Amino acid sequence: MGSDPVSRTDAARFAQVNLLAVPRDLAFDLLLFCQRNPRPCGLTEVSDPGATTLSWCAPTADVRRDAHRYRIWRDGELEQTTDDATPWWREDLVTFAIGCSFTLATALERAGIAFVTGGVYRSDVACAPAGRLAGPQWVSMRWMAPADALRATRVTARFPSAHGAPVHVGDPAGVGIEDLAAPTYALATTPPPPDGSVPVFWGCSVTAEEAARAARPELMISLDPPHMFGTDRLIEELAS
Amino acid sequence: MGSDPVSRTDAARFAQVNLLAVPRDLAFDLLLFCQRNPRPCGLTEVSDPGATTLSWCAPTADVRRDAHRYRIWRDGELEQTTDDATPWWREDLVTFAIGCSFTLATALERAGIAFVTGGVYRSDVACAPAGRLAGPQWVSMRWMAPADALRATRVTARFPSAHGAPVHVGDPAGVGIEDLAAPTYALATTPPPPDGSVPVFWGCSVTAEEAARAARPELMISLDPPHMFGTDRLIEELAS
């Protein structure tokens, strides 16, 4: 909890997105992959090749340096992290602004739904492939009361570009997750969930990043989690 | 009204789509154009390059010959119409299945909303451009009572891939249409609308076809209206 509740409130009004920049020659496959797998890969915006702004959702920001930290990938391997990706920029890079679970978490909070944040897991549900891109669906999980899981479904379904409704509820084995205590990425240090809570799973933008990475593009720029990219669009502007 | 109410009912249960096949080198721009202009260009599916089926929505149909009639375009000019586009097929063609207003008309009918079908018009609302693609938003219009226009908004918003909610209601001058009696395409020979009706406008898939045609691709294959392409997906499967 920050010390300035006003600016926290203001910040929470705006949507955050995950960013992924890939060369134009892979961008068609990635756009098709996102179109075919909208729950994990809901799109807020896709840039023109070489564009350094997102003209609809962040027209005054520079996608190369206005996020907190970036990861630079070469042939699918992490080369380094940096707070300014400008030196790596190329005119053929297409930037994908992919929905982020911070938006759905804010929607849950606004609806008064109490939840305990779990982590991000690789499921065994295969995405629909597209060209060179394929891979499993990654999911983020939150614990909540069963009745709240149903209400959370209605609340988050309003935000299809930020993962929309959950993709699974209950037994993690149903989507091939063996141990909820061992997420690939922990989203928060959290208290244990109240008795009777059920795990609720949403598609996660790691899906697109991992599928693109596995295609080993010559160059790829992504964000360094947990920091995402702040847009100028209200969360409510993304509602269906 | 047909003579076989059972098969009419069955047919109306399934979604129809507009088809547009363009070379791979234009397909990225078209996919981006559809992503940026989802109301006129909502996508049901996009094929892999060269694929002659739509694996999700019509896995057993051949997109080259299972529609009633096709139009073959060369450099943006109509070359001919045909009932079998197979001789023109190329391995680099990507097929876009774009939402069709028959789906929204069926949704209106099911909701018991009485309407009189108008036509298709070119509005003066500019689409968000994407690469080589740009152009105005085309709209289809239906007359209905004002209260039904509001209910129609809720009913059709459930089908984002079939144009979703209306884009305009009331004075046609608001979207640059001068004469409702002179549509570019008449959708039906209809009785005059009841007194007090208002015109309600939805995005139309002609938008994508006209934008692609204006880019003068070497080859483009589209459907010959009013015949669309029948899918194996229930209209309800497209609901958000």
Side-chain angles (χ1 to χ4, degrees), chain B residues 51-116:
Chain B
T52 57
T53 63
L54 291 161
S55 59
W56 182 74
C57 74
T60 61
D62 188 321
V63 296
R64 300 169 299 181
R65 56 175 172 249
D66 286 338
H68 281 272
R69 198 150 187 88
Y70 297 85
R71 296 194 287 190
I72 311 295
W73 304 84
R74 295 275 187 194
D75 301 317
E77 302 295 329
L78 184 63
E79 183 175 278
Q80 72 178 93
T81 64
T82 175
D83 59 6
D84 185 352
T86 306
W88 288 269
W89 192 253
R90 298 192 334 197
E91 285 306 305
D92 67 338
L93 288 178
V94 176
T95 302
F96 289 69
I98 302 176
C100 151
S101 66
F102 294 166
T103 298
L104 75 87
T106 299
L108 295 176
E109 285 166 3
R110 285 181 182 174
I113 293 174
F115 61 90
V116 170

XYZ file of all heavy atoms in Angstrom, chain B residues 51-116:
529
model
N -4.475 -22.125 -46.825
C -5.465 -23.097 -46.324
C -6.791 -22.907 -47.042
O -7.242 -21.780 -47.236
C -5.641 -22.937 -44.821
N -7.420 -24.005 -47.417
C -8.688 -23.922 -48.143
C -9.877 -24.219 -47.233
O -11.015 -24.260 -47.699
C -8.696 -24.896 -49.332
O -8.451 -26.214 -48.841
C -7.626 -24.510 -50.337
N -9.601 -24.441 -45.949
C -10.691 -24.589 -44.985
C -10.478 -23.587 -43.859
O -9.388 -23.031 -43.693
C -10.744 -26.001 -44.377
O -9.528 -26.223 -43.650
C -10.907 -27.060 -45.445
N -11.539 -23.385 -43.099
C -11.457 -22.590 -41.872
C -11.593 -23.586 -40.733
O -12.683 -24.128 -40.488
C -12.565 -21.532 -41.861
C -12.362 -20.437 -42.913
C -13.666 -19.693 -43.195
C -11.274 -19.460 -42.471
N -10.484 -23.866 -40.060
C -10.444 -25.055 -39.204
C -11.374 -24.963 -38.008
O -11.825 -25.977 -37.498
C -9.013 -25.331 -38.750
O -8.508 -24.227 -38.053
N -11.690 -23.760 -37.561
C -12.596 -23.632 -36.420
C -14.057 -23.525 -36.860
O -14.902 -24.258 -36.383
C -12.221 -22.408 -35.560
C -13.096 -22.284 -34.355
C -13.055 -23.068 -33.227
C -14.157 -21.346 -34.144
N -14.032 -22.671 -32.349
C -14.722 -21.622 -32.875
C -14.693 -20.310 -34.911
C -15.790 -20.889 -32.352
C -15.751 -19.574 -34.399
C -16.287 -19.858 -33.122
N -14.334 -22.623 -37.804
C -15.749 -22.341 -38.052
C -16.348 -23.129 -39.215
O -17.578 -23.215 -39.320
C -15.998 -20.842 -38.209
S -15.467 -20.105 -39.745
N -15.502 -23.702 -40.064
C -16.062 -24.456 -41.204
C -15.042 -25.497 -41.658
O -14.557 -25.464 -42.791
C -16.410 -23.506 -42.346
N -14.730 -26.452 -40.783
C -13.611 -27.369 -41.061
C -13.827 -28.296 -42.245
O -12.853 -28.817 -42.801
C -13.467 -28.165 -39.751
C -14.772 -28.026 -39.052
C -15.309 -26.676 -39.452
N -15.065 -28.508 -42.647
C -15.288 -29.444 -43.756
C -15.618 -28.736 -45.068
O -15.812 -29.384 -46.092
C -16.439 -30.425 -43.429
O -17.634 -29.666 -43.234
C -16.132 -31.230 -42.169
N -15.708 -27.410 -45.032
C -16.062 -26.677 -46.249
C -14.808 -26.197 -46.969
O -13.755 -25.990 -46.356
C -16.942 -25.478 -45.894
N -14.928 -26.023 -48.253
C -13.839 -25.489 -49.068
C -14.159 -24.020 -49.345
O -15.171 -23.717 -49.991
C -13.732 -26.288 -50.366
C -12.499 -25.926 -51.183
O -12.157 -24.711 -51.236
O -11.897 -26.833 -51.764
N -13.307 -23.139 -48.858
C -13.614 -21.715 -48.999
C -13.618 -21.272 -50.459
O -14.159 -20.220 -50.789
C -12.623 -20.815 -48.205
C -12.738 -21.073 -46.714
C -11.192 -20.992 -48.691
N -13.048 -22.086 -51.354
C -12.948 -21.702 -52.760
C -14.220 -21.979 -53.550
O -14.408 -21.440 -54.629
C -11.789 -22.466 -53.428
C -10.449 -22.202 -52.796
C -9.411 -23.170 -53.320
N -9.783 -24.561 -52.992
C -9.051 -25.619 -53.317
N -7.913 -25.455 -53.974
N -9.433 -26.844 -52.979
N -15.090 -22.863 -53.012
C -16.249 -23.227 -53.827
C -17.526 -23.517 -53.059
O -18.539 -23.840 -53.687
C -15.905 -24.415 -54.733
C -15.390 -25.632 -54.011
C -15.191 -26.804 -54.993
N -14.518 -27.898 -54.316
C -13.267 -28.290 -54.583
N -12.573 -27.725 -55.523
N -12.734 -29.283 -53.898
N -17.499 -23.404 -51.761
C -18.716 -23.723 -51.017
C -19.583 -22.508 -50.685
O -20.574 -22.633 -49.964
C -18.382 -24.534 -49.758
C -18.015 -25.979 -50.111
O -18.421 -26.425 -51.208
O -17.327 -26.643 -49.320
N -19.221 -21.360 -51.202
C -20.151 -20.224 -51.168
C -20.911 -20.223 -52.503
O -20.529 -20.926 -53.452
C -19.402 -18.916 -50.978
N -21.976 -19.413 -52.563
C -22.789 -19.453 -53.780
C -22.061 -18.864 -54.985
O -22.129 -19.400 -56.084
C -24.098 -18.688 -53.559
C -25.093 -19.481 -52.804
N -25.989 -20.334 -53.408
C -25.314 -19.587 -51.470
C -26.739 -20.916 -52.487
N -26.350 -20.483 -51.301
N -21.347 -17.763 -54.734
C -20.757 -17.075 -55.881
C -19.622 -16.171 -55.378
O -19.717 -15.597 -54.293
C -21.819 -16.238 -56.607
C -21.415 -15.857 -57.999
C -22.574 -15.707 -58.967
N -22.020 -15.514 -60.303
C -21.721 -16.520 -61.119
N -21.982 -17.750 -60.779
N -21.188 -16.267 -62.314
N -18.586 -16.081 -56.192
C -17.383 -15.333 -55.813
C -17.125 -14.208 -56.803
O -17.519 -14.288 -57.970
C -16.160 -16.265 -55.811
C -16.256 -17.377 -54.805
C -16.922 -18.568 -55.118
C -15.684 -17.255 -53.543
C -17.030 -19.603 -54.198
C -15.779 -18.286 -52.610
C -16.461 -19.449 -52.949
O -16.563 -20.465 -52.030
N -16.417 -13.213 -56.320
C -15.914 -12.166 -57.209
C -14.385 -12.230 -57.219
O -13.762 -12.336 -56.156
C -16.383 -10.782 -56.729
C -17.906 -10.667 -56.802
C -18.380 -9.244 -56.665
N -18.238 -8.757 -55.296
C -18.760 -7.612 -54.875
N -19.448 -6.831 -55.701
N -18.606 -7.233 -53.631
N -13.816 -12.157 -58.411
C -12.360 -12.205 -58.591
C -11.894 -10.800 -58.948
O -12.383 -10.209 -59.923
C -11.967 -13.180 -59.718
C -12.663 -14.540 -59.559
C -10.452 -13.308 -59.803
C -12.275 -15.326 -58.346
N -10.979 -10.274 -58.152
C -10.478 -8.912 -58.352
C -9.000 -8.962 -58.736
O -8.228 -9.684 -58.117
C -10.608 -8.100 -57.061
C -11.988 -8.040 -56.500
C -12.580 -8.976 -55.699
C -12.948 -6.989 -56.674
N -13.858 -8.575 -55.365
C -14.104 -7.357 -55.945
C -12.947 -5.772 -57.365
C -15.248 -6.557 -55.892
C -14.075 -4.979 -57.304
C -15.210 -5.366 -56.577
N -8.629 -8.183 -59.748
C -7.222 -8.045 -60.136
C -6.851 -6.580 -60.012
O -7.501 -5.726 -60.631
C -7.022 -8.449 -61.608
C -7.303 -9.886 -61.898
C -6.094 -10.743 -61.623
N -6.343 -12.110 -62.066
C -5.576 -13.137 -61.710
N -4.521 -12.946 -60.927
N -5.856 -14.341 -62.140
N -5.830 -6.296 -59.242
C -5.375 -4.906 -59.059
C -6.548 -3.987 -58.699
O -6.609 -2.836 -59.146
C -4.675 -4.403 -60.324
C -3.468 -5.271 -60.669
O -2.711 -5.626 -59.751
O -3.310 -5.615 -61.856
N -7.482 -4.500 -57.935
C -8.604 -3.684 -57.471
C -9.759 -3.553 -58.439
O -10.743 -2.882 -58.135
N -9.651 -4.200 -59.595
C -10.738 -4.151 -60.585
C -11.423 -5.514 -60.651
O -10.759 -6.547 -60.636
C -10.181 -3.799 -61.982
C -9.421 -2.485 -62.053
C -10.316 -1.277 -61.785
O -11.524 -1.348 -62.109
O -9.817 -0.285 -61.221
N -12.744 -5.484 -60.770
C -13.490 -6.742 -60.875
C -13.177 -7.419 -62.198
O -13.397 -6.848 -63.272
C -14.994 -6.466 -60.767
C -15.887 -7.715 -60.772
C -15.600 -8.593 -59.558
C -17.361 -7.308 -60.803
N -12.650 -8.635 -62.119
C -12.331 -9.373 -63.344
C -13.521 -10.213 -63.781
O -13.904 -10.215 -64.942
C -11.116 -10.272 -63.118
C -10.667 -11.023 -64.358
C -9.385 -11.799 -64.114
O -8.305 -11.189 -64.189
O -9.465 -13.020 -63.817
N -14.115 -10.932 -62.818
C -15.304 -11.705 -63.151
C -15.939 -12.279 -61.900
O -15.363 -12.225 -60.821
C -14.975 -12.824 -64.123
C -14.183 -13.970 -63.519
C -13.967 -15.051 -64.568
O -12.955 -15.066 -65.274
N -14.917 -15.978 -64.679
N -17.135 -12.808 -62.074
C -17.749 -13.558 -60.983
C -17.796 -15.017 -61.402
O -17.800 -15.343 -62.595
C -19.174 -13.059 -60.659
O -20.011 -13.282 -61.782
C -19.165 -11.573 -60.312
N -17.803 -15.900 -60.390
C -17.725 -17.342 -60.663
C -18.328 -18.102 -59.494
O -18.368 -17.583 -58.376
C -16.254 -17.766 -60.851
O -16.204 -19.194 -60.993
C -15.403 -17.376 -59.651
N -18.788 -19.314 -59.761
C -19.256 -20.123 -58.634
C -18.170 -21.052 -58.111
O -18.413 -21.836 -57.192
C -20.538 -20.898 -58.993
C -20.321 -21.819 -60.172
O -19.162 -21.937 -60.641
O -21.304 -22.420 -60.624
N -16.976 -20.971 -58.668
C -15.863 -21.782 -58.177
C -14.565 -21.000 -58.366
O -14.106 -20.798 -59.498
C -15.796 -23.122 -58.932
C -14.729 -24.042 -58.367
O -13.935 -23.607 -57.499
O -14.686 -25.210 -58.796
N -13.990 -20.587 -57.256
C -12.781 -19.756 -57.323
C -11.504 -20.581 -57.349
O -10.403 -20.026 -57.344
C -12.753 -18.786 -56.133
N -11.651 -21.897 -57.407
C -10.476 -22.774 -57.347
C -9.416 -22.450 -58.408
O -8.216 -22.440 -58.096
C -10.901 -24.257 -57.452
O -11.883 -24.522 -56.441
C -9.717 -25.187 -57.273
N -9.808 -22.169 -59.658
C -8.763 -21.900 -60.664
C -7.892 -20.685 -60.339
O -6.785 -20.564 -60.864
C -9.574 -21.658 -61.954
C -10.859 -22.383 -61.729
C -11.151 -22.236 -60.274
N -8.392 -19.788 -59.505
C -7.616 -18.596 -59.159
C -6.802 -18.767 -57.876
O -6.098 -17.877 -57.486
C -8.548 -17.387 -59.009
C -9.085 -16.903 -60.312
C -8.538 -15.945 -61.121
C -10.271 -17.357 -60.971
N -9.307 -15.785 -62.240
C -10.381 -16.632 -62.182
C -11.249 -18.312 -60.684
C -11.427 -16.827 -63.081
C -12.290 -18.508 -61.572
C -12.372 -17.768 -62.751
N -6.961 -19.890 -57.230
C -6.372 -20.046 -55.900
C -4.850 -20.011 -55.949
O -4.231 -20.476 -56.894
C -6.839 -21.360 -55.262
C -6.496 -21.405 -53.801
C -5.527 -22.154 -53.209
C -7.112 -20.647 -52.763
N -5.512 -21.904 -51.856
C -6.467 -20.979 -51.553
C -8.147 -19.704 -52.729
C -6.814 -20.413 -50.327
C -8.497 -19.130 -51.523
C -7.833 -19.489 -50.338
N -4.271 -19.419 -54.913
C -2.816 -19.395 -54.779
C -2.443 -19.797 -53.359
O -3.208 -19.562 -52.418
C -2.263 -17.984 -55.044
C -2.535 -17.475 -56.428
C -1.769 -16.214 -56.824
N -1.353 -15.338 -55.742
C -0.976 -14.072 -55.942
N -0.981 -13.535 -57.173
N -0.590 -13.328 -54.935
N -1.245 -20.309 -53.230
C -0.792 -20.811 -51.936
C -0.529 -19.700 -50.921
O -0.345 -19.972 -49.743
C 0.482 -21.652 -52.109
C 0.215 -23.017 -52.699
C -0.842 -23.796 -51.902
O -0.641 -23.958 -50.688
O -1.858 -24.194 -52.489
N -0.495 -18.455 -51.397
C -0.224 -17.366 -50.457
C -1.503 -16.627 -50.046
O -1.428 -15.599 -49.363
C 0.796 -16.380 -51.036
C 0.242 -15.624 -52.241
O -0.707 -16.120 -52.877
O 0.763 -14.532 -52.541
N -2.659 -17.143 -50.434
C -3.897 -16.441 -50.072
C -4.296 -16.748 -48.628
O -4.317 -17.897 -48.207
C -5.038 -16.829 -51.014
C -4.947 -16.264 -52.440
C -6.118 -16.783 -53.284
C -4.939 -14.732 -52.435
N -4.641 -15.690 -47.906
C -5.121 -15.800 -46.527
C -6.596 -15.415 -46.536
O -6.963 -14.359 -47.057
C -4.335 -14.854 -45.593
C -4.904 -14.886 -44.177
C -2.850 -15.219 -45.605
N -7.438 -16.274 -45.970
C -8.883 -16.039 -45.994
C -9.358 -15.460 -44.664
O -9.089 -16.023 -43.607
C -9.635 -17.348 -46.277
O -9.186 -17.878 -47.532
C -11.138 -17.109 -46.326
N -10.052 -14.339 -44.764
C -10.637 -13.689 -43.594
C -12.135 -13.979 -43.555
O -12.844 -13.687 -44.528
C -10.417 -12.169 -43.666
C -8.993 -11.749 -43.437
C -8.003 -12.033 -44.374
C -8.639 -11.072 -42.285
C -6.681 -11.657 -44.155
C -7.320 -10.692 -42.057
C -6.340 -10.988 -42.989
N -12.600 -14.554 -42.451
C -14.044 -14.752 -42.238
C -14.513 -13.613 -41.342
O -14.213 -13.580 -40.145
C -14.310 -16.096 -41.588
N -15.211 -12.677 -41.964
C -15.608 -11.448 -41.286
C -17.085 -11.534 -40.922
O -17.894 -12.045 -41.696
C -15.338 -10.237 -42.201
C -13.841 -10.195 -42.580
C -15.766 -8.936 -41.538
C -13.474 -9.112 -43.560
N -17.400 -11.041 -39.741
C -18.775 -11.104 -39.255
C -19.733 -10.476 -40.247
O -19.394 -9.550 -40.990
N -20.934 -10.994 -40.257
C -21.914 -10.658 -41.281
C -23.205 -10.236 -40.602
O -23.570 -10.753 -39.546
C -22.085 -11.912 -42.146
S -23.666 -12.118 -42.911
N -23.898 -9.285 -41.231
C -25.072 -8.727 -40.579
C -26.242 -9.697 -40.536
O -27.215 -9.457 -39.830
C -25.483 -7.413 -41.237
O -25.920 -7.648 -42.543
N -26.158 -10.827 -41.252
C -27.219 -11.824 -41.117
C -27.281 -12.339 -39.682
O -28.347 -12.652 -39.164
C -26.988 -13.006 -42.070
C -27.102 -12.646 -43.527
C -26.650 -13.516 -44.502
C -27.669 -11.444 -43.933
C -26.754 -13.204 -45.852
C -27.776 -11.117 -45.289
C -27.314 -12.007 -46.240
N -26.102 -12.446 -39.054
C -26.067 -12.917 -37.672
C -26.776 -11.940 -36.753
O -27.585 -12.327 -35.905
C -24.598 -13.104 -37.212
O -23.992 -14.090 -38.045
C -24.527 -13.530 -35.756
N -26.507 -10.653 -36.938
C -27.161 -9.689 -36.046
C -28.652 -9.599 -36.362
O -29.477 -9.438 -35.445
C -26.452 -8.336 -36.049
C -26.561 -7.351 -37.198
C -27.769 -6.440 -37.031
C -25.304 -6.484 -37.227
N -29.027 -9.764 -37.620
C -30.454 -9.745 -37.952
C -31.177 -10.913 -37.286
O -32.292 -10.767 -36.768
C -30.633 -9.790 -39.466
N -30.515 -12.070 -37.285
C -31.111 -13.226 -36.611
C -31.238 -12.970 -35.113
O -32.249 -13.315 -34.488
C -30.245 -14.476 -36.865
O -30.202 -14.718 -38.268
C -30.824 -15.696 -36.163
N -30.227 -12.363 -34.535
C -30.279 -12.061 -33.098
C -31.440 -11.115 -32.799
O -32.141 -11.273 -31.791
C -28.956 -11.453 -32.638
N -31.660 -10.144 -33.672
C -32.785 -9.218 -33.484
C -34.112 -9.962 -33.586
O -35.022 -9.773 -32.767
C -32.733 -8.101 -34.527
C -31.547 -7.140 -34.455
C -31.594 -6.164 -35.626
C -31.513 -6.388 -33.134
N -34.206 -10.829 -34.599
C -35.462 -11.579 -34.789
C -35.762 -12.453 -33.581
O -36.894 -12.524 -33.100
C -35.367 -12.433 -36.051
C -35.492 -11.596 -37.322
C -35.071 -12.358 -38.575
O -34.731 -13.558 -38.467
O -35.075 -11.738 -39.664
N -34.731 -13.119 -33.071
C -34.928 -13.983 -31.914
C -35.377 -13.218 -30.690
O -36.048 -13.764 -29.810
C -33.638 -14.694 -31.570
C -33.318 -15.793 -32.515
C -32.041 -16.436 -32.048
N -31.644 -17.483 -32.957
C -30.507 -18.140 -32.846
N -29.676 -17.852 -31.865
N -30.220 -19.078 -33.694
N -34.936 -11.963 -30.617
C -35.317 -11.134 -29.470
C -36.694 -10.507 -29.669
O -37.161 -9.740 -28.836
C -34.265 -10.036 -29.247
N -37.332 -10.837 -30.777
C -38.672 -10.331 -31.025
C -38.700 -8.860 -31.398
O -39.714 -8.187 -31.228
N -37.584 -8.358 -31.902
C -37.513 -6.949 -32.294
C -37.963 -6.813 -33.749
O -37.368 -7.417 -34.651
C -36.084 -6.400 -32.107
C -35.748 -6.372 -30.609
C -35.939 -5.017 -32.735
C -34.320 -5.999 -30.287
N -39.012 -6.027 -33.953
C -39.521 -5.812 -35.305
C -38.680 -4.736 -35.982
O -38.446 -3.669 -35.407
C -40.977 -5.375 -35.250
N -38.224 -5.024 -37.185
C -37.443 -4.012 -37.909
C -37.693 -4.139 -39.402
O -38.121 -5.192 -39.887
C -35.947 -4.132 -37.596
C -35.328 -5.445 -37.990
C -34.765 -5.621 -39.250
C -35.313 -6.519 -37.108
C -34.198 -6.821 -39.616
C -34.749 -7.735 -37.471
C -34.185 -7.898 -38.718
N -37.436 -3.051 -40.103
C -37.504 -3.040 -41.558
C -36.083 -2.833 -42.064
O -35.402 -1.887 -41.668
C -38.427 -1.917 -42.058
C -38.304 -1.759 -43.572
C -39.873 -2.210 -41.664
